Amino acid sequence: MYKSIGVKPYLMPMPVLIIGTYNEDGTSNAMNAAYGSMRDSRTVSLYVQAKRKTIANILWTKAFTIHLANGENRQEADFVGCVSGNRVADKVEQTGWSATKSEDVEAPVFASFPLVMACTLLSYDPEDGHLVGEVQNVLVEETLLDSYGHLHVDEMALLTYNPAEKCYNIVGDRVGEAFATGLNNEDQEESDDNDSSRSTEEERRQALIRNRPERVARVQRMERVMNELASLQAELNQALDHFESFKEQSDAFDAYYSSRDWMDDYEASSLGIIPEEIDQGVLTEDLPYDVLCENDELGRRMRDLARKLLLR
Ligand SMILES: Cc1cc2nc3c(=O)[nH]c(=O)nc-3n(C[C@H](O)[C@H](O)[C@H](O)COP(=O)(O)O)c2cc1C
């Protein structure tokens, strides 16, 4: 049974995002932001109040970094969320975070975060505090990547802000595969063993590696077949273009063969009126007939081929 509790900012879990920016004097600033998310696959959308030092910084550098906090930087993350760079100039220094310049944007990258996004400013509305940034690059702590370059988010221990209880929580276990669990009707049990789904993935990889030579040969063979098919299609299309554009002349030849003109030319040829040195296959009985019949044969063949192609 539901109980109504009024308007609350409870779209949970909320992330703990540490926004890094440069002050005018080149030192770094950081703030904690929980009102943030991806707007689409390459833009971020945040709510940051206009009075924040962070906003003044972003408006002149046109850039910022977003650090996903984890359990290890919880205390400092909270500190930069309580103290403003407007009042405390050495705020970042006090956290102990070491900062280097991002290679992608004009903003600092703080060490010891699992993941950092380098963003450029797309828009900021001081009226409603809506900040939109475009992601230019993402940096991840390399120990979170396996040998295949896959990111293991469950090892990040990401920190989330819990607005209902004004506290922090850590993101929990992996419990199922997205875009698959529902479709396969998978009944994935909640598991506190984070390694189980990864080992399944590894087993699958190993199974696929087992037949590698045959697999590679098959891919190569199919690649050749695909390319040959494409070039045959191009040739056939070219021939059909030619054939179709010849239709008018072909019809004229068909009409000639059954015309009075043909009979007169045939007679003239037999009387030696047509010079012997020119080819006169068209005035024989069989050759024109065979060529015209071949049109019917081709029509039937194309019809049968079309049926096969379309029934695929
Ligand atoms: C958990 C937490 C979440 C916060 N989320 C936001 C937020 O989404 N937007 C915002 O404007 N301020 C937020 N704040 C407040 C700022 O982090 C705080 O005012 C900070 O001192 C601003 O720093 P600056 O003035 O140096 O930019 C949050 C603070 C905390 C502790």
Side-chain angles (χ1 to χ4, degrees):
M1 185 128 118
Y2 289 125
K3 182 171 166 47
S4 120
I5 59 168
V7 178
K8 306 279 180 194
Y10 287 174
L11 206 57
M12 297 180 273
M14 295 176 90
V16 174
L17 308 172
I18 303 302
I19 315 295
T21 54
Y22 277 135
N23 299 314
E24 298 88 328
D25 63 2
T27 56
S28 304
N29 189 44
M31 76 163 266
N32 186 329
Y35 288 74
S37 179
M38 293 305 299
R39 189 179 72 165
D40 56 44
S41 59
R42 59 175 310 138
T43 59
V44 291
S45 171
L46 300 144
Y47 160 70
V48 184
Q49 290 187 31
K51 63 184 178 191
R52 309 285 185 235
K53 179 76 170 98
T54 296
I55 288 300
N57 289 353
I58 291 174
L59 292 178
W60 78 272
T61 57
K62 311 278 183 240
F64 56 98
T65 42
I66 300 177
H67 304 69
L68 303 193
N70 64 8
E72 280 172 36
N73 30 54
R74 174 175 50 84
Q75 201 176 344
E76 298 81 9
D78 193 60
F79 171 71
V80 299
C82 299
V83 175
S84 172
N86 285 323
R87 289 188 298 108
V88 179
D90 65 345
K91 179 178 168 181
V92 170
E93 233 172 88
Q94 289 193 39
T95 62
W97 292 336
S98 67
T100 51
K101 190 190 165 307
S102 159
E103 289 180 10
D104 306 289
V105 300
E106 193 60 31
V109 172
F110 305 124
S112 314
F113 283 83
L115 189 145
V116 186
M117 300 174 105
C119 306
T120 46
L121 173 66
L122 279 185
S123 65
Y124 180 68
D125 184 340
E127 294 295 314
D128 62 11
H130 189 200
L131 171 70
V132 181
E134 181 173 12
V135 181
Q136 300 299 332
N137 195 14
V138 175
L139 306 174
V140 289
E141 164 54 43
E142 60 184 343
T143 54
L144 295 167
L145 294 171
D146 64 19
S147 54
Y148 302 100
H150 297 144
L151 186 59
H152 291 293
V153 176
D154 41 5
E155 282 174 17
M156 284 185 177
L158 290 175
L159 196 62
T160 68
Y161 171 58
N162 171 343
E165 297 168 289
K166 298 256 181 318
C167 66
Y168 296 104
N169 295 103
I170 297 283
V171 171
D173 299 336
R174 176 184 183 127
V175 292
E177 304 309 307
F179 303 105
T181 306
L183 298 175
N184 296 344
N185 203 16
E186 272 178 41
D187 186 19
Q188 295 224 1
E189 296 281 281
E190 275 202 23
S191 160
D192 54 7
D193 180 6
N194 287 347
D195 293 338
S196 69
S197 52
R198 193 160 329 131
S199 70
T200 315
E201 196 181 301
E202 188 52 34
E203 277 165 23
R204 175 75 186 133
R205 206 183 302 280
Q206 289 306 325
L208 291 171
I209 281 175
R210 230 166 280 140
N211 301 328
R212 194 160 177 244
E214 294 94 304
R215 201 175 297 288
V216 171
R218 180 172 59 219
V219 171
Q220 287 176 318
R221 199 168 62 245
M222 287 302 139
E223 180 74 13
R224 280 195 300 273
V225 172
M226 180 185 75
N227 290 336
E228 191 171 339
L229 178 62
S231 84
L232 282 172
Q233 288 165 340
E235 275 174 41
L236 188 58
N237 266 317
Q238 218 175 4
L240 286 172
D241 286 347
H242 193 171
F243 194 82
E244 279 170 358
S245 69
F246 200 69
K247 176 85 169 56
E248 211 176 308
Q249 294 176 72
S250 156
D251 288 348
F253 165 64
D254 196 351
Y256 169 67
Y257 183 57
S258 45
S259 71
R260 178 80 231 167
D261 283 345
W262 185 86
M263 281 191 271
D264 290 348
D265 294 345
Y266 179 84
E267 194 181 349
S269 172
S270 354
L271 295 172
I273 295 170
I274 308 232
E276 267 180 22
E277 56 277 16
I278 69 163
D279 290 337
Q280 295 171 48
V282 73
L283 295 177
T284 61
E285 295 263 355
D286 295 342
L287 209 49
Y289 178 79
D290 290 347
V291 170
L292 286 170
C293 284
E294 184 61 22
N295 256 2
D296 298 343
E297 277 304 310
L298 272 176
R300 277 188 284 275
R301 184 175 171 181
M302 284 196 273
R303 181 200 57 204
D304 293 345
L305 180 63
R307 269 201 198 120
K308 280 185 205 154
L309 288 177
L310 297 173
L311 279 176
R312 185 175 60 88

